Amino acid sequence: NSSDLRAAMMATWSAENRLTQIRLTHEWPPLGKREFACPQGELQLRCNEQIVATPNPAFRRVEVSVVDAGGRRIIMLSQVVPNAI
């Protein structure tokens, strides 16, 4: 189904955009959850970000899930980020 593949590709772009932003700005995101709009073209997507502690306090795990307008999760990406201090 080409529309599902297109939605998955655009959701991946949204999640990768946020993870790249954290990496390039050396952001040390606060622990917790937040939600924000992350549309791609005409697709109204929402990103759910969760920041969790790791066993090593110098790192945090960032998970970004992207959901469609109906609340269905399309993709979830994660990365571990170091404290730049």
CSV table of all heavy atoms in Angstrom, one decimal, residues 31-74:
chain,number,residue,atom,x,y,z
A,31,LEU,N,14.5,15.0,31.6
A,31,LEU,CA,13.8,13.8,31.7
A,31,LEU,C,12.3,14.0,31.6
A,31,LEU,O,11.8,15.1,32.1
A,31,LEU,CB,14.2,13.1,33.0
A,31,LEU,CG,15.6,12.7,33.2
A,31,LEU,CD1,15.8,12.1,34.6
A,31,LEU,CD2,16.0,11.7,32.2
A,32,GLY,N,11.6,13.1,31.1
A,32,GLY,CA,10.1,13.2,31.0
A,32,GLY,C,9.6,13.0,29.6
A,32,GLY,O,10.3,12.6,28.7
A,33,LYS,N,8.3,13.4,29.5
A,33,LYS,CA,7.6,13.2,28.2
A,33,LYS,C,7.1,14.6,27.7
A,33,LYS,O,6.8,15.4,28.5
A,33,LYS,CB,6.4,12.3,28.4
A,33,LYS,CG,6.7,10.9,28.8
A,33,LYS,CD,5.5,10.1,28.9
A,33,LYS,CE,5.8,8.7,29.4
A,33,LYS,NZ,4.6,7.8,29.6
A,34,ARG,N,7.0,14.7,26.4
A,34,ARG,CA,6.3,15.8,25.8
A,34,ARG,C,5.8,15.4,24.4
A,34,ARG,O,6.2,14.5,23.8
A,34,ARG,CB,7.3,17.0,25.7
A,34,ARG,CG,8.3,17.0,24.7
A,34,ARG,CD,9.2,18.2,24.7
A,34,ARG,NE,10.0,18.3,23.5
A,34,ARG,CZ,9.9,19.2,22.6
A,34,ARG,NH1,9.0,20.1,22.6
A,34,ARG,NH2,10.7,19.2,21.5
A,35,GLU,N,4.8,16.2,24.0
A,35,GLU,CA,4.2,15.9,22.7
A,35,GLU,C,4.2,17.2,21.9
A,35,GLU,O,4.0,18.3,22.5
A,35,GLU,CB,2.8,15.5,22.9
A,35,GLU,CG,2.0,15.1,21.6
A,35,GLU,CD,0.6,14.6,21.9
A,35,GLU,OE1,0.4,14.1,23.0
A,35,GLU,OE2,-0.2,14.8,21.0
A,36,PHE,N,4.4,17.1,20.6
A,36,PHE,CA,4.4,18.3,19.7
A,36,PHE,C,4.0,17.9,18.3
A,36,PHE,O,4.2,16.8,17.9
A,36,PHE,CB,5.8,19.0,19.8
A,36,PHE,CG,7.0,18.1,19.5
A,36,PHE,CD1,7.4,18.0,18.2
A,36,PHE,CD2,7.6,17.4,20.5
A,36,PHE,CE1,8.5,17.2,17.9
A,36,PHE,CE2,8.6,16.6,20.2
A,36,PHE,CZ,9.1,16.5,18.9
A,37,ALA,N,3.6,18.9,17.6
A,37,ALA,CA,3.2,18.7,16.2
A,37,ALA,C,4.5,18.5,15.4
A,37,ALA,O,5.5,19.3,15.6
A,37,ALA,CB,2.4,19.9,15.7
A,38,CYS,N,4.5,17.6,14.4
A,38,CYS,CA,5.6,17.4,13.6
A,38,CYS,C,5.1,17.0,12.2
A,38,CYS,O,5.4,16.0,11.6
A,38,CYS,CB,6.6,16.4,14.1
A,38,CYS,SG,5.9,14.8,14.5
A,39,PRO,N,4.3,17.9,11.6
A,39,PRO,CA,3.7,17.6,10.3
A,39,PRO,C,4.8,17.5,9.1
A,39,PRO,O,5.8,18.1,9.2
A,39,PRO,CB,2.8,18.8,10.0
A,39,PRO,CG,3.4,19.9,10.8
A,39,PRO,CD,4.0,19.3,12.0
A,40,GLN,N,4.4,16.7,8.2
A,40,GLN,CA,5.2,16.6,7.0
A,40,GLN,C,4.3,16.7,5.8
A,40,GLN,O,3.4,15.9,5.6
A,40,GLN,CB,5.9,15.2,6.9
A,40,GLN,CG,7.0,15.0,7.9
A,40,GLN,CD,8.3,15.8,7.6
A,40,GLN,OE1,8.6,16.1,6.4
A,40,GLN,NE2,9.0,16.2,8.6
A,41,GLY,N,4.5,17.8,5.0
A,41,GLY,CA,3.5,18.0,3.9
A,41,GLY,C,2.1,18.2,4.4
A,41,GLY,O,1.9,18.9,5.4
A,42,GLU,N,1.2,17.5,3.8
A,42,GLU,CA,-0.2,17.5,4.2
A,42,GLU,C,-0.5,16.6,5.4
A,42,GLU,O,-1.6,16.6,5.9
A,42,GLU,CB,-1.1,17.3,3.1
A,42,GLU,CG,-1.2,15.9,2.6
A,42,GLU,CD,-0.1,15.4,1.7
A,42,GLU,OE1,0.8,16.2,1.4
A,42,GLU,OE2,0.0,14.2,1.4
A,43,LEU,N,0.4,15.7,5.8
A,43,LEU,CA,0.2,14.8,6.9
A,43,LEU,C,0.3,15.5,8.2
A,43,LEU,O,1.4,16.1,8.5
A,43,LEU,CB,1.2,13.6,6.8
A,43,LEU,CG,1.0,12.6,5.7
A,43,LEU,CD1,2.1,11.5,5.8
A,43,LEU,CD2,-0.3,11.9,5.9
A,44,GLN,N,-0.7,15.4,9.0
A,44,GLN,CA,-0.7,16.0,10.3
A,44,GLN,C,-0.3,15.0,11.3
A,44,GLN,O,-1.1,14.2,11.8
A,44,GLN,CB,-2.1,16.6,10.7
A,44,GLN,CG,-2.6,17.7,9.7
A,44,GLN,CD,-1.6,18.8,9.7
A,44,GLN,OE1,-1.2,19.4,10.7
A,44,GLN,NE2,-1.2,19.2,8.4
A,45,LEU,N,1.0,15.0,11.6
A,45,LEU,CA,1.6,14.0,12.5
A,45,LEU,C,1.9,14.7,13.8
A,45,LEU,O,2.1,15.9,13.9
A,45,LEU,CB,2.9,13.5,11.9
A,45,LEU,CG,2.8,12.9,10.5
A,45,LEU,CD1,4.2,12.5,10.0
A,45,LEU,CD2,2.0,11.6,10.6
A,46,ARG,N,1.9,13.8,14.9
A,46,ARG,CA,2.3,14.3,16.2
A,46,ARG,C,3.5,13.4,16.7
A,46,ARG,O,3.5,12.2,16.5
A,46,ARG,CB,1.2,14.1,17.2
A,46,ARG,CG,-0.1,14.7,16.9
A,46,ARG,CD,-0.3,16.2,17.2
A,46,ARG,NE,0.1,16.5,18.6
A,46,ARG,CZ,0.4,17.8,18.9
A,46,ARG,NH1,0.4,18.8,18.0
A,46,ARG,NH2,0.7,18.1,20.2
A,47,CYS,N,4.5,14.1,17.3
A,47,CYS,CA,5.6,13.4,17.9
A,47,CYS,C,5.5,13.3,19.4
A,47,CYS,O,5.1,14.3,20.0
A,47,CYS,CB,6.9,14.1,17.5
A,47,CYS,SG,7.4,14.0,15.8
A,48,ASN,N,5.7,12.1,19.9
A,48,ASN,CA,5.7,11.9,21.4
A,48,ASN,C,7.2,11.6,21.7
A,48,ASN,O,7.7,10.6,21.3
A,48,ASN,CB,4.8,10.8,21.7
A,48,ASN,CG,3.4,11.0,21.4
A,48,ASN,OD1,2.8,12.1,21.7
A,48,ASN,ND2,2.7,10.1,20.7
A,49,GLU,N,7.7,12.4,22.5
A,49,GLU,CA,9.1,12.3,22.9
A,49,GLU,C,9.2,11.9,24.4
A,49,GLU,O,8.5,12.5,25.2
A,49,GLU,CB,9.8,13.6,22.7
A,49,GLU,CG,11.3,13.6,23.1
A,49,GLU,CD,11.9,15.0,22.8
A,49,GLU,OE1,12.3,15.3,21.6
A,49,GLU,OE2,12.0,15.8,23.7
A,50,GLN,N,10.0,10.9,24.6
A,50,GLN,CA,10.3,10.4,26.0
A,50,GLN,C,11.8,10.4,26.3
A,50,GLN,O,12.5,9.8,25.5
A,50,GLN,CB,9.6,9.1,26.3
A,50,GLN,CG,9.8,8.6,27.7
A,50,GLN,CD,9.0,7.3,28.0
A,50,GLN,OE1,8.3,6.8,27.2
A,50,GLN,NE2,9.2,6.9,29.2
A,51,ILE,N,12.2,11.0,27.3
A,51,ILE,CA,13.6,11.1,27.7
A,51,ILE,C,13.7,10.3,29.0
A,51,ILE,O,13.0,10.6,30.0
A,51,ILE,CB,14.1,12.5,28.0
A,51,ILE,CG1,13.7,13.5,26.9
A,51,ILE,CG2,15.6,12.5,28.2
A,51,ILE,CD1,14.2,13.1,25.5
A,52,VAL,N,14.6,9.2,29.0
A,52,VAL,CA,14.7,8.4,30.2
A,52,VAL,C,16.2,8.3,30.6
A,52,VAL,O,17.1,8.5,29.7
A,52,VAL,CB,14.2,7.0,30.0
A,52,VAL,CG1,12.7,7.0,29.8
A,52,VAL,CG2,14.8,6.3,28.8
A,53,ALA,N,16.4,8.2,31.9
A,53,ALA,CA,17.8,8.0,32.4
A,53,ALA,C,18.4,6.7,31.9
A,53,ALA,O,17.7,5.7,31.7
A,53,ALA,CB,17.8,8.2,33.9
A,54,THR,N,19.7,6.6,31.9
A,54,THR,CA,20.4,5.4,31.6
A,54,THR,C,21.2,5.0,32.9
A,54,THR,O,21.4,5.9,33.8
A,54,THR,CB,21.3,5.5,30.4
A,54,THR,OG1,22.4,6.5,30.7
A,54,THR,CG2,20.6,6.0,29.2
A,55,PRO,N,21.7,3.8,32.9
A,55,PRO,CA,22.6,3.5,34.1
A,55,PRO,C,23.8,4.4,34.3
A,55,PRO,O,24.2,4.6,35.4
A,55,PRO,CB,23.0,2.0,33.8
A,55,PRO,CG,21.9,1.5,32.9
A,55,PRO,CD,21.5,2.7,32.1
A,56,ASN,N,24.3,4.9,33.2
A,56,ASN,CA,25.4,5.9,33.2
A,56,ASN,C,24.8,7.3,33.2
A,56,ASN,O,24.1,7.7,32.2
A,56,ASN,CB,26.3,5.7,32.0
A,56,ASN,CG,27.5,6.6,32.0
A,56,ASN,OD1,27.4,7.7,32.6
A,56,ASN,ND2,28.5,6.2,31.4
A,57,PRO,N,24.9,8.1,34.3
A,57,PRO,CA,24.3,9.4,34.4
A,57,PRO,C,24.8,10.4,33.3
A,57,PRO,O,24.2,11.5,33.2
A,57,PRO,CB,24.6,9.9,35.8
A,57,PRO,CG,25.7,9.1,36.2
A,57,PRO,CD,25.7,7.8,35.5
A,58,ALA,N,25.8,10.1,32.6
A,58,ALA,CA,26.3,11.0,31.5
A,58,ALA,C,25.6,10.8,30.2
A,58,ALA,O,25.9,11.5,29.3
A,58,ALA,CB,27.8,10.7,31.3
A,59,PHE,N,24.6,9.9,30.2
A,59,PHE,CA,23.9,9.6,29.0
A,59,PHE,C,22.4,9.6,29.3
A,59,PHE,O,22.0,9.3,30.4
A,59,PHE,CB,24.3,8.3,28.3
A,59,PHE,CG,25.7,8.3,27.9
A,59,PHE,CD1,26.7,7.8,28.7
A,59,PHE,CD2,26.0,8.7,26.6
A,59,PHE,CE1,28.0,7.8,28.3
A,59,PHE,CE2,27.3,8.7,26.1
A,59,PHE,CZ,28.3,8.2,27.0
A,60,ARG,N,21.6,9.9,28.3
A,60,ARG,CA,20.1,9.8,28.3
A,60,ARG,C,19.6,9.1,27.0
A,60,ARG,O,20.2,9.3,26.0
A,60,ARG,CB,19.4,11.2,28.5
A,60,ARG,CG,19.7,11.7,29.9
A,60,ARG,CD,18.9,12.9,30.2
A,60,ARG,NE,19.1,13.3,31.6
A,60,ARG,CZ,18.9,14.5,32.1
A,60,ARG,NH1,18.3,15.4,31.3
A,60,ARG,NH2,19.1,14.8,33.3
A,61,ARG,N,18.6,8.4,27.2
A,61,ARG,CA,18.0,7.8,26.0
A,61,ARG,C,16.8,8.6,25.6
A,61,ARG,O,15.9,9.0,26.4
A,61,ARG,CB,17.5,6.3,26.3
A,61,ARG,CG,16.9,5.6,25.1
A,61,ARG,CD,16.8,4.1,25.3
A,61,ARG,NE,16.3,3.8,26.6
A,61,ARG,CZ,15.1,3.4,26.9
A,61,ARG,NH1,14.1,3.4,26.0
A,61,ARG,NH2,14.7,3.1,28.1
A,62,VAL,N,16.7,8.9,24.3
A,62,VAL,CA,15.6,9.7,23.7
A,62,VAL,C,14.9,8.8,22.8
A,62,VAL,O,15.4,8.2,21.9
A,62,VAL,CB,16.2,10.9,22.9
A,62,VAL,CG1,15.1,11.7,22.3
A,62,VAL,CG2,17.1,11.8,23.8
A,63,GLU,N,13.6,8.7,23.0
A,63,GLU,CA,12.7,7.9,22.2
A,63,GLU,C,11.7,8.9,21.5
A,63,GLU,O,11.0,9.7,22.3
A,63,GLU,CB,11.9,6.9,23.0
A,63,GLU,CG,12.8,5.8,23.6
A,63,GLU,CD,12.0,4.9,24.4
A,63,GLU,OE1,10.8,5.1,24.7
A,63,GLU,OE2,12.6,3.8,24.8
A,64,VAL,N,11.5,8.8,20.2
A,64,VAL,CA,10.5,9.7,19.5
A,64,VAL,C,9.6,8.8,18.8
A,64,VAL,O,10.0,8.0,17.9
A,64,VAL,CB,11.2,10.7,18.6
A,64,VAL,CG1,10.2,11.5,17.8
A,64,VAL,CG2,12.2,11.6,19.3
A,65,SER,N,8.3,8.8,19.2
A,65,SER,CA,7.3,8.1,18.4
A,65,SER,C,6.5,9.0,17.6
A,65,SER,O,6.2,10.2,18.1
A,65,SER,CB,6.3,7.4,19.4
A,65,SER,OG,7.0,6.4,20.2
A,66,VAL,N,6.1,8.6,16.4
A,66,VAL,CA,5.3,9.5,15.6
A,66,VAL,C,4.0,8.8,15.4
A,66,VAL,O,3.9,7.6,15.0
A,66,VAL,CB,6.0,9.8,14.2
A,66,VAL,CG1,5.1,10.7,13.3
A,66,VAL,CG2,7.4,10.4,14.4
A,67,VAL,N,2.9,9.6,15.6
A,67,VAL,CA,1.5,9.0,15.4
A,67,VAL,C,0.8,9.8,14.4
A,67,VAL,O,1.0,11.0,14.2
A,67,VAL,CB,0.8,9.0,16.8
A,67,VAL,CG1,1.4,8.1,17.8
A,67,VAL,CG2,0.6,10.4,17.3
A,68,ASP,N,-0.2,9.2,13.8
A,68,ASP,CA,-1.0,9.9,12.8
A,68,ASP,C,-2.2,10.6,13.5
A,68,ASP,O,-2.3,10.5,14.7
A,68,ASP,CB,-1.5,8.9,11.7
A,68,ASP,CG,-2.4,7.8,12.2
A,68,ASP,OD1,-2.9,7.9,13.3
A,68,ASP,OD2,-2.6,6.8,11.4
A,69,ALA,N,-3.1,11.2,12.7
A,69,ALA,CA,-4.2,12.0,13.2
A,69,ALA,C,-5.1,11.1,14.0
A,69,ALA,O,-5.8,11.6,14.9
A,69,ALA,CB,-4.9,12.7,12.1
A,70,GLY,N,-5.2,9.8,13.7
A,70,GLY,CA,-6.0,8.9,14.5
A,70,GLY,C,-5.4,8.3,15.7
A,70,GLY,O,-6.0,7.5,16.4
A,71,GLY,N,-4.1,8.7,16.0
A,71,GLY,CA,-3.5,8.2,17.2
A,71,GLY,C,-2.7,6.9,17.0
A,71,GLY,O,-2.2,6.4,18.0
A,72,ARG,N,-2.6,6.4,15.8
A,72,ARG,CA,-1.9,5.2,15.5
A,72,ARG,C,-0.4,5.4,15.4
A,72,ARG,O,0.0,6.3,14.6
A,72,ARG,CB,-2.4,4.6,14.2
A,72,ARG,CG,-1.8,3.3,13.8
A,72,ARG,CD,-2.3,2.8,12.4
A,72,ARG,NE,-2.1,3.7,11.4
A,72,ARG,CZ,-1.1,3.6,10.4
A,72,ARG,NH1,-0.3,2.5,10.5
A,72,ARG,NH2,-1.0,4.4,9.5
A,73,ARG,N,0.4,4.7,16.2
A,73,ARG,CA,1.8,4.9,16.1
A,73,ARG,C,2.3,4.3,14.8
A,73,ARG,O,2.1,3.2,14.4
A,73,ARG,CB,2.5,4.2,17.2
A,73,ARG,CG,4.0,4.5,17.2
A,73,ARG,CD,4.7,4.1,18.4
A,73,ARG,NE,5.0,2.7,18.4
A,73,ARG,CZ,5.6,2.0,19.4
A,73,ARG,NH1,6.0,2.7,20.5
A,73,ARG,NH2,5.8,0.8,19.3
A,74,ILE,N,3.1,5.2,14.1
A,74,ILE,CA,3.6,4.8,12.8
A,74,ILE,C,5.0,4.3,12.9
A,74,ILE,O,5.4,3.3,12.3
A,74,ILE,CB,3.6,6.0,11.8
A,74,ILE,CG1,2.2,6.4,11.6
A,74,ILE,CG2,4.2,5.6,10.4
A,74,ILE,CD1,2.1,7.7,10.8
